[in-house]
Amino acid sequence: MENICEKQYVIGLDMGGTNSVFGIVDQRGQIIAQTTISTKAYPVVHDYVKAGVEALQPLLDMIGGFENVRGMGIGAPNGNFYHGTIEYAANLAWGGVVPIAELFSHALNGIPVRVTNDANAAAMGEMAYGAAKGMKNWIMITLGTGVGSGIVCDGKIVYGSDGFAGELGHVVAVRDGRQCGCGRKGCLETYCSATGVTRTAREFLEKSDAPSPLRDLDPEKITSYDVFLAAEKGDQIALDIFNFTGEVLGRACADFACFNSPEAFVFFGGLTKAGHYIMDPIKKAYDENVLYNYKGKAQIVVSALKGSEAAVLGASALGWE
Amino acid sequence: MENICEKQYVIGLDMGGTNSVFGIVDQRGQIIAQTTISTKAYPVVHDYVKAGVEALQPLLDMIGGFENVRGMGIGAPNGNFYHGTIEYAANLAWGGVVPIAELFSHALNGIPVRVTNDANAAAMGEMAYGAAKGMKNWIMITLGTGVGSGIVCDGKIVYGSDGFAGELGHVVAVRDGRQCGCGRKGCLETYCSATGVTRTAREFLEKSDAPSPLRDLDPEKITSYDVFLAAEKGDQIALDIFNFTGEVLGRACADFACFNSPEAFVFFGGLTKAGHYIMDPIKKAYDENVLYNYKGKAQIVVSALKGSEAAVLGASALGWE
């Protein structure tokens, strides 16, 4: 029998506004065990950390305890790599600046703990185990409730002067465009996030009289999956929604290429499940808009990690550093 | 008397389409001697290299010969750091891919030679000797015939997958805007380069009947210095030109902040000589448009290097690597 106690492991924590998933990951990038706690249930961060460590205990026992854990990586909203903190995260109950790395390290026998934001964690995972293996210069775009990004230059995540670099979801895609939650207008996120797609669906349904299966749905709740199902039936409005969304995204990526001349853009998140309906328009707009210097140099691909595992794997990748 | 032969030196070459300036630079960043040859006069690159080395010879004799030179750095249009080449430079006579580093190294007793593009060279100079001393994450914007950029992340120039990263002059500032020389529309360069300012001047003079000293000039040849002189006289059209140009530039920089959350934007080139007339609108537009995360974090400053020295110093900084 294999003696798993001789191995080295890391803990990966994918912290969401609702749930937190802890995973124990081995050196080959296998999640060998995982557990989930509610993030929301703990309005005091110390209680959250305590609950997390309690949930982790049986997993740690399984691998022979702390001494086999090299470190812990946390992917969290507004996670700051430099300071090991979560700073003013809108969708977490703990206000202000939370020294989350220190808290977990203290509760876990002093193991090193690193923090980054969710999109950077996704990029680390993709680089260690996914579509960006071996790549040195590339860009991760996460398409979720918001649009996030992880930028990699020379093999390293770009953290910038303050740890908050890489917010490509807030590059202005349409000058004086849609109102964004950040207070500005026309951010990429207002077009290509889940809510962005819902807004586009609503707008496109309003400005046309064409029949569409999307008309049977509550226009405030149309998801990119609904649009995908309609597209599968050949619905023109659904196709138009993906074409428009992909065009905005592809044009934006063409501009992003001017920063780090990437080998690839790797897309992650719900919208990518629409497959070629969204990826083809992204590629088309990218090719049409990118500077000649960069033409044909970047792959436009979807994450190679399973959605449920990517975030934990990504966070865990930080634990090896 | 100081024995300068004991010192270490580098050669910096600022290669322009018209002239090439060679400088011998010491470890304190002093250009101790320099010489110029015509770039245009040598349609064959081997002749150019030969002429350059001949021009350098008396300077090298002065410092005791090759053995006191650590290396050479070249800032050239379309210079490629990875390959030591100049690739398809539109304003040089030598077509295709020119192995310029190899040619100079061969002609200079095998000293190491590094190449980068002009904007990256400017950024290296600024970081070694100018306004960006000690900075790790910042962006250089060069405002000349075109708009160039050097992006610094974690203390290093971003070269990207192919050595051609950092072309922020070709990020689209105005969707479907002015025709750019690159074949696309609305690039930042079409608004904020020397010719961009001339175009703006012409447009603003055409759409108004207000008197302006700029009306006495050939509208095809108005320079940012002419606009500056008019602004000094209180001319409203001149002020409008700078306000417009600065707004486009400040808004673009606000987007660039999302990439590497810079400590500073350092501006270099003719347009910066307009002082507060251009810098104030840049700062205003930046503050109004930057994401709240980054507000108040980046300095917006002008290069601290003398124009005539900056390019040679910048190129020379590569020679120390």
Side-chain angles (χ1 to χ4, degrees), chain A residues 72-86:
Chain A
M72 176 179 186
I74 303 175
N78 288 35
N80 188 303
F81 177 77
Y82 291 141
H83 304 132
T85 49
I86 295 172

Side-chain angles (χ1 to χ4, degrees), chain A residues 78 82 88 137 139 149 151 153-154 156 158-168 170-173 175-176 181-182 184 187 251-252 254-263 288-294 297, chain B residues 78 82 88 137 139 149 151 153-154 156 158-168 170-173 175-176 181-182 184 187 251-252 254-263 288-294 297:
Chain A
N78 288 35
Y82 291 141
Y88 307 99
N137 296 277
I139 294 177
S149 65
I151 302 167
C153 291
D154 206 17
K156 286 186 207 143
V158 173
Y159 288 112
S161 64
D162 58 357
F164 291 120
E167 285 290 355
L168 300 184
H170 291 284
V171 165
V172 173
R175 191 64 59 193
D176 298 320
C182 75
R184 294 145 73 241
C187 295
R251 279 192 323 212
D255 278 342
F256 301 161
C258 291
F259 281 102
N260 71 336
S261 181
E263 290 157 84
E288 284 173 1
N289 286 279
V290 77
L291 185 64
Y292 63 91
N293 282 7
Y294 307 127
K297 291 185 179 173
Chain B
N78 289 35
Y82 292 142
Y88 306 98
N137 296 277
I139 294 177
S149 65
I151 302 169
C153 291
D154 206 16
K156 285 187 208 141
V158 173
Y159 288 112
S161 65
D162 57 358
F164 291 119
E167 284 291 354
L168 299 184
H170 291 284
V171 166
V172 173
R175 190 64 56 192
D176 297 319
C182 75
R184 294 144 73 241
C187 295
R251 278 192 325 213
D255 278 343
F256 302 161
C258 291
F259 184 73
N260 71 337
S261 182
E263 291 157 83
E288 284 172 3
N289 287 280
V290 77
L291 184 65
Y292 63 91
N293 283 7
Y294 307 125
K297 290 184 178 172

Side-chain angles (χ1 to χ4, degrees), chain A residues 212-214 225-239:
Chain A
S212 165
L214 296 171
Y225 188 66
D226 297 325
V227 183
F228 167 70
L229 292 178
E232 283 279 79
K233 291 177 192 155
D235 180 49
Q236 190 57 47
I237 290 182
L239 295 172

Side-chain angles (χ1 to χ4, degrees), chain B residues 34-81:
Chain B
Q34 69 177 46
T35 184
T36 301
I37 67 170
S38 161
T39 315
K40 274 186 178 166
Y42 303 98
V44 176
V45 68
H46 291 83
D47 297 337
Y48 168 82
V49 172
K50 201 174 158 214
V53 172
E54 276 170 18
L56 267 171
Q57 200 52 61
L59 282 58
L60 291 169
D61 291 343
M62 220 179 78
I63 57 159
F66 289 122
E67 47 274 47
N68 291 308
V69 176
R70 192 179 300 185
M72 177 178 184
I74 303 174
N78 289 35
N80 188 303
F81 177 77

Side-chain angles (χ1 to χ4, degrees), chain A residues 99-187:
Chain A
I100 194 77
E102 197 186 314
L103 292 172
F104 267 108
S105 180
H106 186 75
L108 289 167
N109 269 20
I111 64 166
V113 180
R114 292 259 169 140
V115 181
T116 193
N117 77 25
D118 5 23
N120 287 335
M124 304 252 344
E126 214 64 54
M127 196 152 46
Y129 311 114
K133 243 186 216 174
M135 287 188 190
K136 293 272 188 189
N137 296 277
W138 64 284
I139 294 177
M140 176 103 211
I141 305 278
T142 60
L143 303 161
T145 319
V147 171
S149 65
I151 302 167
V152 178
C153 291
D154 206 17
K156 286 186 207 143
I157 300 278
V158 173
Y159 288 112
S161 64
D162 58 357
F164 291 120
E167 285 290 355
L168 300 184
H170 291 284
V171 165
V172 173
V174 179
R175 191 64 59 193
D176 298 320
R178 294 177 181 171
Q179 184 64 48
C180 184
C182 75
R184 294 145 73 241
K185 281 187 174 171
C187 295

